[in-house]
Amino acid sequence: MDTNANILETIQMIEEDKLDIRTVTMGISLLDCIDADGDRARRKIYDKITGYAKNLVSVARGIEAELGIPIINKRISVTPISLIAGASGETDYTEFARTLDQAARAVGIDFIGGFSALVDKGQSPADRTLMESIPSALAETDVVCSSVDIGSSRAGINMTAVRHMGEVIRRTADLTAENHGAGCAKLVVFANAVSDNPFMAGAFHGVQEADCVVSVGVSGPGVVKRALEKVPGEPLDVCAEIIKKAAFKITRVGQLVGSLAAQRLGVDFGIVDLSLAPTAEVGDSVARVLEEMGLDIVGTHGTTAALALLNDAMKKGGLMACSRVGGLSGSFIPISEDIGMIEAAAAGAITLDKLEAMTAICSVGLDMVAVPGETSASTLSAMIADEAAIGVMNHKTTAVRVIPAVGLGVGDMVEFGGLLGRAPVMPVHQGSSEAFVSRAGHIPSPVHGFRN
């Protein structure tokens, strides 16, 4: 191998192609913090998080300086709080969210995830309490993120929880109305949630994970686009090979950073998530990758096929580069965090229906989508149900992170700031879903969900 050429190529990937490590995320188990006394439980939670993560930021910054690779976010995920807080008997878990927020600030991280509940088959009293606490928790904290898993291929879709989460999103938007419902940007509703996802807002630390692990989420849309620029007009199988090679290089960088971080922090190395994570900066867009394959604008006919090629090639290349692949691993298509998606949505080329179709391929689903501020809870629930159905029927993770932009209407632009970017408010269908959502109950798992 030409070492000098590889070094120069890596420098180019960082400086010109926007290659970065999107996140180093420390997952921490809080199972040993369970206590019948809520105050004691919260003290244990604070002490454990600040104990394990006290050097997380300094270690990440040291690796940045040593390797010259930007690490954009330093994050923590914890055991779903509904599992921890249930023993306390408290009827509001907002104080647990405040404890997470305080611990996150004490160690200097960007986000902490795990104010979560897993209710794909049914809800415990603790799960219901957590869901009821989400609006106030997200309104009263700064860096806490929340997620709820409402369906799975094995259990079906918990439509009672789906109905509830539509109401939760609506209340969260109203409580953060001064920022056009921005609290909803920290809330994800999943089907087939994974327990080792390093990306926010949906990260939580699964009960089957080790006591403490470090995982990495890579980026690199600019690297993939630059690679495709070298093969203009070539057949799509050639494009797939080019993407695989780029994914291999991106993933090797992620594994190096993750291994170093785990070693220096004295914890286990978790996984590398292969998801292409865009930003609103020029040159860092998944939409632009799809357009480089020949689409006039993302959202036009052929978009879903191009996304299928991209995701499959990314996974094939990444799996060859790293034996510890996990998380969501694909491509994110958040409206507000991708300059190409922002422009396509503003031009009307991307609609909610097209995004739903793309969900069958991409890593998540309706991600960072702004809808009119007056959108009803039942419509929000129906959007969740549609996305969950795609995930459950296709054995993949799907999710909804939708923001009712309070005070704004279709065509207005809502600004979230930072990595969350900005998004045009998109129209929703006007036909009511109220009667359907009100039925609640359970949509049974598909027959092909029973695999043994």
Side-chain angles (χ1 to χ4, degrees):
M1 295 180 66
D2 186 342
T3 303
N4 290 330
N6 284 322
I7 292 171
L8 291 172
E9 183 182 39
T10 301
I11 292 171
Q12 179 187 6
M13 289 163 63
I14 294 167
E15 293 185 351
E16 299 181 22
D17 303 340
K18 307 289 186 183
L19 175 65
D20 58 49
I21 299 300
R22 187 52 45 85
T23 179
V24 170
T25 301
M26 175 177 280
I28 302 173
S29 173
L30 301 182
L31 292 174
D32 54 354
C33 299
I34 293 172
D35 199 294
D37 184 295
D39 289 334
R40 277 202 303 266
R42 287 186 283 272
R43 282 197 297 272
K44 292 179 184 178
I45 289 170
Y46 182 89
D47 290 345
K48 186 163 189 182
I49 292 172
T50 54
Y52 271 122
K54 64 178 182 287
N55 296 321
L56 175 60
V57 172
S58 61
V59 165
R61 287 175 177 166
I63 294 171
E64 280 185 287
E66 181 178 332
L67 300 181
I69 299 170
I71 300 174
I72 306 302
N73 281 284
K74 296 82 176 172
R75 300 166 171 169
I76 292 172
S77 63
V78 298
T79 311
I81 289 298
S82 68
L83 302 177
I84 309 304
S88 71
E90 295 182 1
T91 57
D92 185 342
Y93 295 160
T94 304
E95 200 59 44
F96 281 89
R98 293 193 188 101
T99 298
L100 296 179
D101 203 52
Q102 291 161 7
R105 291 188 169 283
V107 297
I109 60 162
D110 299 287
F111 289 107
I112 185 165
F115 196 75
S116 307
L118 311 177
V119 298
D120 55 309
K121 202 167 187 178
Q123 301 108 287
S124 69
D127 294 325
R128 286 190 287 271
T129 299
L130 184 129
M131 288 189 282
E132 279 295 304
S133 303
I134 288 172
S136 60
L138 296 183
E140 297 176 27
T141 61
D142 294 318
V143 298
V144 172
C145 294
S146 180
S147 60
V148 177
D149 186 40
I150 49 78
S152 67
S153 297
R154 186 73 179 183
I157 304 171
N158 183 345
M159 286 299 295
T160 300
V162 168
R163 180 180 64 182
H164 193 177
M165 286 309 299
E167 297 166 353
V168 167
I169 293 171
R170 182 67 264 172
R171 294 208 310 273
T172 302
D174 291 337
L175 282 179
T176 56
E178 71 281 3
N179 295 317
H180 303 298
C184 298
K186 300 184 292 177
L187 172 59
V188 181
V189 185
F190 278 116
N192 288 321
V194 296
S195 63
D196 56 359
N197 166 26
F199 286 103
M200 298 296 169
F204 63 87
H205 189 69
V207 295
Q208 71 273 46
E209 302 289 330
D211 192 50
C212 186
V213 302
V214 167
S215 295
V216 168
V218 298
S219 182
V223 176
V224 176
K225 182 178 184 297
R226 181 66 67 92
L228 287 172
E229 288 173 355
K230 299 175 182 176
V231 289
E234 292 291 332
L236 291 173
D237 51 330
V238 174
C239 292
E241 289 300 312
I242 290 292
I243 293 169
K244 282 165 57 179
K245 292 175 182 177
F248 183 91
K249 297 170 186 175
I250 294 167
T251 307
R252 293 297 284 180
V253 172
Q255 178 169 282
L256 173 61
V257 170
S259 298
L260 287 174
Q263 180 183 18
R264 293 176 185 183
L265 289 165
V267 301
D268 292 338
F269 176 34
I271 56 92
V272 175
D273 189 312
L274 304 178
S275 299
L276 284 182
T279 71
E281 290 186 30
V282 174
D284 201 20
S285 164
V286 171
R288 297 289 187 248
V289 175
L290 301 178
E291 290 167 356
E292 187 62 34
M293 294 186 208
L295 303 175
D296 183 55
I297 188 170
V298 69
T300 192
H301 303 295
T303 298
T304 308
L307 183 60
L309 185 154
L310 174 62
N311 264 21
D312 183 64
M314 282 294 301
K315 291 177 183 180
K316 287 174 178 173
L319 287 167
M320 287 294 292
C322 178
S323 60
R324 291 178 173 267
V325 171
L328 298 170
S329 289
S331 297
F332 292 151
I333 51 171
I335 291 295
S336 75
E337 299 172 6
D338 185 312
I339 185 63
M341 297 295 288
I342 293 169
E343 293 178 359
I350 281 281
T351 65
L352 290 180
D353 292 337
K354 185 60 177 179
L355 285 171
E356 187 176 305
M358 294 169 73
T359 297
I361 306 299
C362 74
S363 288
V364 190
L366 299 182
D367 191 17
M368 287 302 292
V369 173
V371 297
E374 72 276 7
T375 303
S376 68
S378 61
T379 295
L380 297 169
S381 294
M383 293 167 69
I384 294 168
D386 283 342
E387 288 296 313
I390 292 172
V392 166
M393 294 301 293
N394 289 283
H395 286 271
K396 69 181 297 293
T397 303
T398 53
V400 171
R401 186 162 50 145
V402 62
I403 300 100
V406 179
L408 300 178
V410 174
D412 291 333
M413 187 70 72
V414 56
E415 298 281 348
F416 299 114
L419 277 180
L420 297 177
R422 64 191 187 279
V425 178
M426 303 176 69
V428 299
H429 289 288
Q430 295 304 304
S432 175
S433 308
E434 178 71 38
F436 173 72
V437 169
S438 296
R439 288 177 179 266
H442 213 95
I443 295 179
S445 57
V447 66
H448 60 267
F450 294 95
R451 295 178 176 176
N452 292 311

